[in-house]
Amino acid sequence: MRDGFGGILNIVFIVIFLLIVEGVLGLVVNYTKAFKMKNNVISMIEQYEAAGCFENSGNSACVKRIIDKAKEIGYSPTSLNCPSGYDSVYDLFCYRGEIVKNTDNYTSSKPTVYKVVTQVDLNLPLISNILGFSIFQVSGDTEVVES
């Protein structure tokens, strides 16, 4: 009888180990998607010089390319929680513009750096309840955009 319980205990340890490994791999894949999305949004903002990149109508070329890239990489966060002071675009990313204070080196009157935040989609109930989603966000800044 003792051997039967030892075998069950080993199976439980193996199952727990496999669940942990699967959770870590899932986190890595979703983090990679969020990181690629952040890089794509930053490059689109810089390429289009922020013209039409923050519309929720989806009619601008910039937003269309961002949405197409999100579909291509499979990025679709279930619930985007933007930090305070940030605005959301199509529930794909959050952004905030900060005007550069020293405008001597720039031709436009309001050179701006945009801060972009994307969210890692993590649906593990225990981890999300304990840690919260704000830890699993990826952020980055654009170069100075003169629009």
Side-chain angles (χ1 to χ4, degrees):
M1 193 67 171
R2 209 172 67 200
D3 292 334
F5 287 121
I8 291 174
L9 188 62
N10 285 338
I11 290 174
V12 168
F13 284 139
I14 290 171
V15 168
I16 290 172
F17 175 75
L18 289 176
L19 287 174
I20 291 171
V21 168
E22 184 178 328
V24 168
L25 290 176
L27 178 64
V28 168
V29 168
N30 286 322
Y31 183 83
T32 303
K33 286 181 186 180
F35 193 79
K36 284 181 181 179
M37 186 64 187
K38 179 213 38 125
N39 287 342
N40 178 59
V41 170
I42 287 174
S43 68
M44 288 299 119
I45 292 171
E46 290 173 351
Q47 180 180 352
Y48 285 92
E49 294 181 347
C53 292
F54 308 118
E55 296 177 2
N56 277 319
S57 63
N59 294 330
S60 71
C62 181
V63 172
K64 286 180 183 177
R65 288 190 61 189
I66 290 172
I67 292 171
D68 289 343
K69 185 64 175 185
K71 288 178 184 175
E72 179 184 320
I73 64 175
Y75 175 78
S76 60
T78 54
S79 63
L80 183 66
N81 299 323
C82 293
S84 63
Y86 284 77
D87 295 319
S88 172
V89 176
Y90 258 88
D91 290 332
L92 291 175
F93 66 95
C94 304
Y95 75 96
R96 179 179 72 190
E98 293 182 357
I99 297 174
V100 176
K101 293 185 173 137
N102 185 6
T103 60
D104 296 338
N105 299 331
Y106 304 107
T107 57
S108 73
S109 62
K110 294 183 180 178
T112 307
V113 173
Y114 292 96
K115 296 185 178 291
V116 175
V117 175
T118 57
Q119 185 162 312
V120 177
D121 191 16
L122 183 65
N123 291 328
L124 298 174
L126 185 63
I127 293 177
S128 63
N129 290 340
I130 294 172
L131 298 177
F133 280 110
S134 62
I135 295 173
F136 299 111
Q137 291 182 337
V138 182
S139 63
D141 299 339
T142 65
E143 297 290 326
V144 175
V145 176
E146 297 185 58
S147 56

